[in-house]
Structures are given as C-alpha cells and as structure tokens.
Amino acid sequence: MELHFDRNEIVEDHVMFCRKRNLYNETFNTDSMVDILKSLPILSSDLQRIVGSLMILESTKLRHVNDMLSEEPNLVDLNGGDVSKIQLYRWRQIRDYTLRIDDGRFGFPCMMVGLDDDPENVGNTREETKKAVLEYMIKSEKVIAAGPLHLPTEFKDDPSSIPVGDLILFNAKSRENAIEFAEELPSSVAGLYKDLRVHFYNNLDITGKFVSEDPLRD
C-alpha cells in the first residue's frame, strides 16, 4: 500500500518530465531525441491502484530511448533508473483508420498484452491468423490502437527485429468483457501466446494542451 501512495505522489513529477521532454525548439530542450506519445498508468483489477505503467515513445535510435528512460521519475524512484530492468519492445502500430475509436467511448480503456509462445510451438501461427485478427478487431468496434511487438533492435529495419507479441488498446465494459475479447482473438484461439494479460489503464495528459489556468492562483 505504501508503494501505491508513493506512485500517486510521483505522477505529477512524471507528467512534468514528459511535458518538458515533448517541448523543444531552437532555444529550449534542443537535444531532445525522444517524443513521448502516450503514458498509460496500469490499474489494478479493482481500478483503485496504479500497478505499473506503459509508455509509447518515438525516436530514431534505441540508445536515445534508454537515455531518456534512465531519467524518468518513476524508474528512478523504483530502481535508480536501471533501464535493463524494464521490458522494452518496438511497437508497429497498424495504420488502419477503422482502428481509431476514442479511449473510453464504449466502456473503459483497456490494454491486452500477449507474448508469443516459443517458435517451435507456434510455427507460422502469427502469419496464418494475421488477416483474421484484423477482421476480428474491426468488427468488434472496440479497438483504439493495435499492433505487433518486435524485439527492440537498434534500427527498425533490422531483420532480427522479429515480432514476439501483440499490444492492443481497446474499450471494455467490464473485466470479464475484456478477458472475453482477448481470449476470443483468433491468434489466442490458435494458441499463439504463452502469456496473455488484460489491464485497465488511465491516459495521462502529457501534452499540456488541456491544462486550464487555476482561477484561485494569485
């Protein structure tokens, strides 16, 4: 419980860190090499506690991401900024206009993270279910954004950056509804994943675009 309160207290530091990192021009933060697109605190099943965090980042090189994360307040507080202790993937988002439903429009925003089973167990399952997975997500009318998780090689066109899982952001009316969505995904039914999890999340405003001035401030 103490860790929960510590996480809550550090959220403001994290948000300000992200906003400053995203704010750059020819005179301010000129060495910024990472754009922080999303910061999603992962919630407990009862929606009462923050139990983790997912960040979506954009950069030209992996080392820039590692450098930035080593200074991120949550990570510094948890382990002194040791990036080797966190899971890092290259996410290739599916660019399909039908997968752009707003967070929370139909239920609560939720994420599904599925990590593939060993190659000898799944064979060509990922490729064989690719079309069916896309059709399933479109028909569900729940998906916010989705795409495969790849190994985080230094360069995105590295052939060794193979897909090893999937990240799907979607809306769900309940935890049971979220689990049902994940388990009925064609790739899940075909046995692609060795680890499949769903989590509700919050969406932090790290852009600063929606901040209003405090009317009580002097």
Side-chain angles (χ1 to χ4, degrees), residues 59-66 88-92 149-164:
S59 182
T60 57
K61 295 184 179 180
L62 183 62
R63 63 181 175 86
H64 296 321
V65 172
N66 286 326
L88 194 62
Y89 300 99
R90 174 170 281 112
W91 186 45
R92 299 185 186 276
L149 298 169
H150 289 245
L151 292 177
T153 53
E154 181 63 38
F155 301 102
K156 65 180 181 180
D157 56 353
D158 189 328
S160 64
S161 182
I162 59 174
V164 293

Side-chain angles (χ1 to χ4, degrees), residues 73-172:
N74 277 311
L75 196 60
V76 170
D77 183 65
L78 287 172
N79 64 19
D82 186 353
V83 181
S84 67
K85 300 296 184 181
I86 65 172
Q87 291 178 299
L88 194 62
Y89 300 99
R90 174 170 281 112
W91 186 45
R92 299 185 186 276
Q93 184 178 351
I94 299 172
R95 302 297 181 180
D96 191 300
Y97 75 93
T98 58
L99 301 178
R100 296 181 182 175
I101 304 299
D102 292 340
D103 296 39
R105 178 177 291 184
F106 306 111
F108 304 99
C110 186
M111 69 177 70
M112 186 211 88
V113 180
L115 298 179
D116 292 5
D117 202 345
D118 298 331
E120 59 269 22
N121 295 331
V122 299
N124 200 36
T125 301
R126 171 170 289 279
E127 190 61 32
E128 291 171 352
T129 59
K130 184 177 180 180
K131 182 179 179 181
V133 167
L134 180 58
E135 291 175 348
Y136 174 86
M137 292 192 296
I138 292 173
K139 289 179 180 178
S140 76
E141 297 185 339
K142 295 180 179 180
V143 176
I144 301 162
L149 298 169
H150 289 245
L151 292 177
T153 53
E154 181 63 38
F155 301 102
K156 65 180 181 180
D157 56 353
D158 189 328
S160 64
S161 182
I162 59 174
V164 293
D166 289 294
L167 169 65
I168 302 176
L169 306 180
F170 64 101
N171 293 299

